[in-house]
Amino acid sequence: MKQLVEFFLDDNTTFLVEVEEPETTAVERVALPSGRLALKAQRSFDQALDTIKPVASKIISKLNDLNTPADEVEVKFGLKLTADAGAVFTSVGGEVSYEITLKWNQSQSRKRDGR
């Protein structure tokens, strides 16, 4: 079942996100100005996204270590916001997947090789 969750930014701006009902009861319920009830996120939106930064940084770091680093790198992965855990990587069929696209500009590669 879907539930509204109130997330907040570091500047205390709040916004609502529709998420699956959390399994834990360790979340606080808050009343919205409309009178409807919502859950209050346990972490700020910024804190939730901070949990994925080390993973994204490690992916970029490893890709930059290639013998011939790409001119462009695109990494895609799914995120899911939850009231209690914050941001988590989503899975498809029980596995988390990343889509990584690397692009090399041929003229840039030739310059690097001294051609």
Side-chain angles (χ1 to χ4, degrees):
M1 184 163 98
K2 299 285 185 183
Q3 175 70 47
L4 288 177
V5 174
E6 182 181 62
F7 275 89
F8 58 98
L9 300 176
D10 285 345
D11 68 0
N12 290 323
T13 302
T14 61
F15 61 98
L16 297 172
V17 176
E18 186 178 65
V19 301
E20 293 295 328
E21 184 81 33
E23 295 177 11
T24 179
T25 58
V27 289
E28 179 184 344
R29 294 199 181 271
V30 294
L32 300 174
S34 66
R36 187 172 176 188
L37 288 179
L39 300 175
K40 184 173 184 171
Q42 297 297 300
R43 301 177 184 182
S44 74
F45 185 69
D46 298 295
Q47 290 169 326
L49 292 180
D50 281 344
T51 62
I52 65 154
K53 280 175 37 176
V55 176
S57 292
K58 183 56 75 175
I59 290 170
I60 295 300
S61 172
K62 291 295 183 183
L63 293 174
N64 282 335
D65 286 346
L66 294 172
N67 288 340
T68 307
D71 296 311
E72 293 181 41
V73 176
E74 181 179 314
V75 179
K76 294 181 185 180
F77 48 84
L79 290 178
K80 183 178 188 178
L81 291 174
T82 69
D84 44 0
V88 295
F89 292 100
T90 58
S91 63
V92 177
E95 296 179 357
V96 174
S97 63
Y98 300 92
E99 180 181 324
I100 300 173
T101 304
L102 304 174
K103 294 182 182 179
W104 287 267
N105 179 321
Q106 199 169 38
S107 62
Q108 291 293 341
S109 295
R110 287 183 182 151
K111 287 179 186 176
R112 280 194 295 258
D113 293 339
R115 292 185 213 169

